[in-house]
Amino acid sequence: MKKIALIHDWLTVYGGAERLLKQLIAIFPTADLFTTVDFLPKKDRTFLSNTKITTSFIQKLPFARKKYRYYLSLMTQAVESFDLSDYDIVISVSHCVAKGVLTGPDQLHICICCSPVRYAWDMQHEYLEESGLDKGLKGFLAKRLMHKMRLWDYRTANSVDHFIAISDFIQRRIHKIYRRSSHTIYPPVDITNFSLNEKKEDFYLTASRFVPYKKMDLIVKTFAQMPHKKLVVIGDGPDFQKVAKNASANVKMLGYQPFEVLQKHMQKAKAFIFAPKEDFGIIPIEAQACGTPVIAYGKGGALETIQGLDSSKPTGLFFYEQSTTALQKAIEQFEALASSPSPSNCRKNALRFSEARYQKEILTFVKKAWSDFSNHPQPKEDSPQNNLSNFAKC
């Protein structure tokens, strides 16, 4: 039996990266987990089961529970401090530092890359501006830190044997930044939690954390200019009050809601509005699983998960500029369609992203990678192709 280590950036909320980790633990239940900090709330920890978890020295630093991101300059050292010498296979789930773990020539390292560090590379200017760190001494220090992060990030990419991208969009980013090839395996969506409903009501829905790049302000402002169209907004976050100030009478701001309320609205909405440029984007697939079409910004992972009007079986449509004018035109175009994208086609499209499919593809990839690695200690860079060889579940 091969000994496997799972590496995660940090455990603080149950988000997209944690959904990937959940599947890895299900596939490799005896694997050990390493992460810089673990402050995941009790209500979100069930997927961790009996997994042995090792944290770094940052776990015990002052204010780490709420201010762990302030220790970004120490994160690289923290992830390098893990001793993984006893493990045959190392699988990192990385959007920041996890892929930088130290491994030896007799260890196989597979990185499931959510993205190269966004705020250090092509999205640096956007993140610094949104954080108020684009000017003055703080701006200089932040840019200096990002410069060092880029050097470290590029160097550590060389220690990864195989990259798995979460979308073709991220595959292109991996190649652009690291000049490495990768294999796309789309993240899983728990389709079973969302049921098809073909009876729609006269309102639109959007749901997200209220952080700048999610563009919730754009959606609310757009509907403020369309007073005869109803919008329901679900979610909470740092920008909630700022966005709520722009809400008009036709916009219902529900704040955080339990899953049952979100599911109910997803099933009944005439369409789901999705405005950010996401690396993948799970919630548009959840909406489609309910039979609800999606009006989405036409960049990033949405182009791979939503079938536009040029498809024989469309599940939504796109707008190509993050502006109120572009979104308003897309909504008007949606309402002018002779027939809306059918709920059944939306549901069928969502089924492409099931958890069972993800587990099968990941296990197949690891099997082939280990077979190639054990037979050839210096594996080729190219990702292994799918094949159904017999490999005992670790």
Side-chain angles (χ1 to χ4, degrees):
M1 181 178 290
K2 306 300 176 287
K3 195 171 182 182
I4 297 177
L6 305 177
I7 319 298
H8 199 66
D9 289 308
W10 47 72
L11 282 170
T12 56
V13 297
Y14 185 70
E18 288 67 37
R19 296 186 191 209
L20 299 180
L21 181 62
K22 175 183 177 181
Q23 299 304 314
L24 292 176
I25 290 174
I27 300 168
F28 307 110
T30 62
D32 296 331
L33 173 61
F34 294 79
T35 185
T36 56
V37 297
D38 177 13
F39 297 116
L40 195 65
K42 185 176 181 180
K43 64 182 179 64
D44 296 326
R45 301 185 65 86
T46 54
F47 77 94
L48 293 171
S49 187
N50 297 318
T51 302
K52 179 184 176 183
I53 303 174
T54 301
T55 58
S56 74
F57 62 86
I58 296 179
Q59 180 81 13
K60 297 181 179 179
L61 293 181
F63 313 110
R65 177 177 292 273
K66 293 186 177 180
K67 304 292 185 181
Y68 64 96
R69 290 180 185 274
Y70 284 29
Y71 291 115
L72 180 61
S73 61
L74 298 177
M75 289 287 185
T76 55
Q77 181 181 344
V79 79
E80 290 176 348
S81 69
F82 295 133
D83 181 4
L84 305 180
S85 56
D86 288 339
Y87 297 90
D88 302 297
I89 301 173
V90 174
I91 304 175
S92 57
V93 180
S94 184
H95 58 79
C96 190
V97 298
K99 76 166 188 9
V101 292
L102 302 179
T103 55
D106 296 325
Q107 295 173 294
L108 173 66
H109 181 186
I110 298 171
C111 174
I112 300 176
C113 185
C114 302
S115 176
V117 192
R118 302 177 192 89
Y119 37 85
W121 292 98
D122 54 309
M123 297 184 71
Q124 173 186 289
H125 302 293
E126 181 179 342
Y127 270 90
L128 293 181
E129 183 178 355
E130 290 174 350
S131 304
L133 295 174
D134 56 330
K135 299 177 182 178
L137 179 60
K138 287 185 178 180
F140 172 80
L141 294 175
K143 291 172 186 175
R144 181 65 179 170
L145 173 60
M146 292 302 101
H147 175 71
K148 291 183 177 180
M149 177 63 77
R150 282 192 293 275
L151 295 176
W152 180 88
D153 191 40
Y154 181 80
R155 176 182 62 78
T156 56
N158 292 318
S159 67
V160 175
D161 296 298
H162 297 290
F163 277 100
I164 295 175
I166 63 169
S167 65
D168 291 345
F169 174 66
I170 292 303
Q171 186 180 77
R172 294 192 297 273
R173 184 179 277 168
I174 290 170
H175 185 265
K176 179 75 173 181
I177 293 172
Y178 303 144
R179 291 300 171 185
R180 294 287 305 277
S181 64
S182 59
H183 180 75
T184 297
I185 299 180
Y186 291 123
V189 180
D190 189 359
I191 304 297
T192 58
N193 275 336
F194 300 89
S195 56
L196 174 65
N197 179 42
E198 298 192 359
K199 296 181 180 180
K200 303 300 179 183
E201 298 182 4
D202 188 24
F203 72 91
Y204 293 88
L205 173 68
T206 189
S208 176
R209 287 193 68 241
F210 281 70
V211 291
Y213 90 94
K214 295 289 188 179
K215 300 299 180 182
M216 298 297 278
D217 56 338
L218 167 64
I219 299 172
V220 170
K221 287 178 181 178
T222 299
F223 277 84
Q225 298 172 14
M226 308 175 75
H228 300 298
K229 303 187 189 305
K230 298 177 183 179
L231 173 69
V232 174
V233 182
I234 294 178
D236 202 355
D239 285 357
F240 182 84
Q241 293 301 328
K242 178 182 175 182
V243 174
K245 289 179 181 179
N246 295 314
S248 50
N250 60 316
V251 176
K252 188 181 292 186
M253 304 284 296
L254 298 186
Y256 170 81
Q257 294 294 324
F259 172 77
E260 293 76 16
V261 175
L262 173 63
Q263 182 193 47
K264 179 180 177 181
H265 282 84
M266 272 190 174
Q267 290 175 324
K268 295 183 177 181
K270 64 195 302 183
F272 187 88
I273 311 294
F274 188 71
K277 180 173 74 171
E278 285 281 16
D279 302 327
F280 177 67
I282 289 176
I283 200 163
I285 301 172
E286 294 174 339
Q288 291 174 83
C290 295
T292 301
V294 182
I295 300 173
Y297 179 49
K299 284 192 177 181
L303 291 172
E304 302 171 49
T305 61
I306 301 164
Q307 296 178 358
L309 296 180
D310 57 344
S311 169
S312 61
K313 296 180 179 180
T315 64
L317 59 85
F318 300 105
F319 59 98
Y320 297 95
E321 181 181 299
Q322 288 174 315
S323 68
T324 57
T325 301
L327 177 53
Q328 184 172 337
K329 287 182 178 178
I331 294 169
E332 292 171 348
Q333 181 185 10
F334 175 78
E335 296 198 344
L337 294 173
S339 60
S340 298
S342 75
S344 60
N345 284 339
C346 291
R347 175 74 182 180
K348 289 176 183 176
N349 185 51
L351 293 176
R352 296 192 292 129
F353 304 96
S354 69
E355 291 183 330
R357 181 272 321 169
Y358 183 77
Q359 291 188 15
K360 179 180 178 181
E361 289 188 22
I362 287 291
L363 185 56
T364 297
F365 189 98
V366 174
K367 292 176 190 176
K368 184 62 167 61
W370 177 253
S371 176
D372 290 348
F373 184 82
S374 57
N375 292 325
H376 306 282
Q378 295 183 5
K380 296 179 181 179
E381 179 205 340
D382 291 338
S383 301
Q385 301 300 311
N386 288 343
N387 103 0
L388 296 177
S389 57
N390 293 322
F391 184 86
K393 188 172 182 180
C394 297

